[in-house]
Amino acid sequence: MTGSALAQSPPAGPSTADWDAAVAAVRALPADGRVLLICHVNPDGDALGSMLGCALGLRRIGVRQLQATFPGPPGVAEPFRGLPGLDLLVPAADTWTDPDLVLCFDAASVSRIGDLAGRLDSAGEVVVLDHHASNTRFGRINLVDPYAAATSVVVEGLLDRLDVPIDRDIAECLYVALTTDTGSFRFAMTTPAVHEMAARLLATGIRPEEISRRVFDTRPFGAVRLYGDVLGRAVLEPDAAGGNGLVWTQATLDDLARHGQPAYVLEALIDSVRCTEEADVSCVLKQVAGTEWAVSMRSKGAVDVSRVAVALGGGGHRLAAGFTGRGGAADVIAAIRAELDRVLAGS
Ligand code: AMP
Ligand code: MN
Ligand code: MN
């Protein structure tokens, strides 16, 4: 390995001292200690599944005062409405302002937890559980493993060290998280250890076919038609991204309104766009407000899209990243094209 490749390798996972500190933080809770669990805005399956699985695990070992939350509008998208532990969700504004312990899930930086960042200063202790290489280690204790396929891998590690028996409900949460971030065991992080973890979770009796159908394979007919419109306007730019090809499309608020659909139905759109054989990089621009776009980016390996996303104010992983774009769709895609060129020129 060359020096520069070494320099770019993400740091190793949590040290024994990190794990010990996190376990001690839980064990040191007073009898009625209040634990606030926070995951990132617009939570995906890893954020919610890791947070709720951990909350249920703590409940199993006698922690009674638990609140789980995330910034932004309360309520979870339809695919997650069957998750165990949803009774622990509390709207962000109603959470304890000075909990004894904060646990933060799947957020690479403090900006991902919005207004809840204030809770980090007033909490008795703060543990960050995450797997983004770009994690800024904003906790007082940081369990960050860039080699983990999902944050739920880190959660399982903590629950194991706390001697929490993994029951069916905890397993379902961790399984949703694991399948979300590995693309149902298709992505590069799908190691033997990932399948071994899946085997442990499945051994509790959870039903993978029911979970997958609910979380990944169900959407309203209106969303099927909406996908038709949005995929029909996809653009292929073979010369972009240094000749590796870029494919992109946009979904507007008008598209959602026309088909009577909520925004969450667009989360899986990138999976249909990224199939494009002729492009390494894929993007979906999802309109959030007039000139605000939630941008999803994927690469098949030629480009580190997290560098593009970070340069544009967001973050993510090497092959899956995102950011908030501002301006018209043409402005946002122009900024992406330019950043792709810059990143490729530097690598
Ligand atoms: P998504 O395309 O929404 O599935 O997001 C892919 C990955 O990009 C996520 O796992 C996050 O790590 C990251 N990500 C997405 N949006 C943002 C954002 N606005 N800021 C920081 N990271 C983001
Ligand atoms: Mn996430
Ligand atoms: Mn994740």
Side-chain angles (χ1 to χ4, degrees):
M1 194 183 277
T2 66
S4 68
L6 262 179
Q8 284 179 8
S9 299
S15 66
T16 305
D18 295 328
W19 286 116
D20 289 349
V23 168
V26 174
R27 297 231 188 272
L29 281 170
D32 271 323
R34 293 158 307 153
V35 181
L36 176 62
L37 301 95
I38 303 173
C39 71
H40 68 70
V41 66
N42 190 20
D44 52 24
D46 188 28
L48 277 175
S50 295
M51 175 173 73
L52 296 177
C54 191
L56 292 172
L58 294 177
R59 187 150 82 178
R60 277 220 60 154
I61 55 169
V63 179
R64 287 193 294 267
Q65 302 242 67
L66 290 161
Q67 293 183 335
T69 196
F70 49 83
V76 299
E78 186 63 37
F80 302 123
R81 295 216 176 128
L83 272 178
L86 289 177
D87 56 301
L88 295 169
L89 279 182
V90 173
D94 300 340
T95 55
W96 299 306
T97 50
D98 57 347
D100 296 289
L101 174 62
V102 162
L103 301 172
C104 188
F105 299 86
D106 204 37
S109 67
V110 82
S111 64
R112 298 281 284 158
I113 59 168
D115 290 345
L116 287 160
R119 305 291 195 279
L120 304 184
D121 302 322
S122 50
E125 190 55 279
V126 180
V127 184
V128 162
L129 298 92
D130 189 35
H131 67 129
H132 290 90
S134 63
N135 188 288
T136 59
R137 287 156 167 87
F138 57 94
R140 282 174 241 162
I141 300 165
N142 296 286
L143 301 179
V144 178
D145 185 355
Y147 296 98
T151 294
S152 68
V153 174
V154 180
V155 171
E156 197 207 27
L158 179 61
L159 296 183
D160 181 49
R161 286 168 175 83
L162 287 166
D163 296 320
V164 175
I166 303 295
D167 62 25
R168 208 176 145 135
D169 282 352
I170 299 170
E172 177 158 341
C173 290
L174 300 185
Y175 187 83
V176 165
L178 193 61
T179 49
T180 296
D181 271 27
T182 59
S184 297
F185 309 107
R186 286 172 297 165
F187 300 158
M189 289 284 208
T190 310
T191 58
V194 163
H195 279 289
E196 283 157 13
M197 176 171 164
R200 285 192 293 280
L201 301 177
L202 289 167
T204 64
I206 57 171
R207 298 285 300 271
E209 79 285 22
E210 283 174 14
I211 296 170
S212 301
R213 193 180 318 112
R214 216 170 54 226
V215 176
F216 304 116
D217 297 335
T218 301
R219 68 182 67 114
F221 183 59
V224 174
R225 306 271 312 239
L226 166 63
Y227 271 44
D229 287 2
V230 176
L231 291 172
R233 69 172 80 106
V235 178
L236 175 66
E237 302 183 19
D239 298 330
N244 292 292
L246 167 69
V247 59
W248 65 278
T249 192
Q250 56 170 308
T252 64
L253 291 173
D254 181 59
D255 292 321
L256 289 171
R258 214 172 45 255
H259 292 281
Q261 294 303 305
Y264 84 80
V265 302
L266 297 173
E267 294 303 316
L269 188 59
I270 188 69
D271 291 319
S272 302
V273 177
R274 71 181 172 83
C275 299
T276 306
E277 185 178 13
E278 295 87 343
D280 180 84
V281 179
S282 49
C283 288
V284 170
L285 279 52
K286 294 164 279 189
Q287 191 177 31
V288 179
T291 56
E292 185 181 331
W293 304 81
V295 181
S296 288
M297 303 186 68
R298 301 290 184 268
S299 165
K300 293 177 188 150
V303 188
D304 179 349
V305 285
S306 75
R307 289 176 63 191
V308 174
V310 166
L312 295 170
H317 308 280
R318 205 168 63 80
L319 303 181
F323 68 97
T324 300
R326 313 226 178 243
D331 304 321
V332 176
I333 204 71
I336 291 171
R337 266 188 224 110
E339 253 344 294
L340 282 167
D341 289 343
R342 208 185 53 80
V343 164
L344 281 163
S347 61

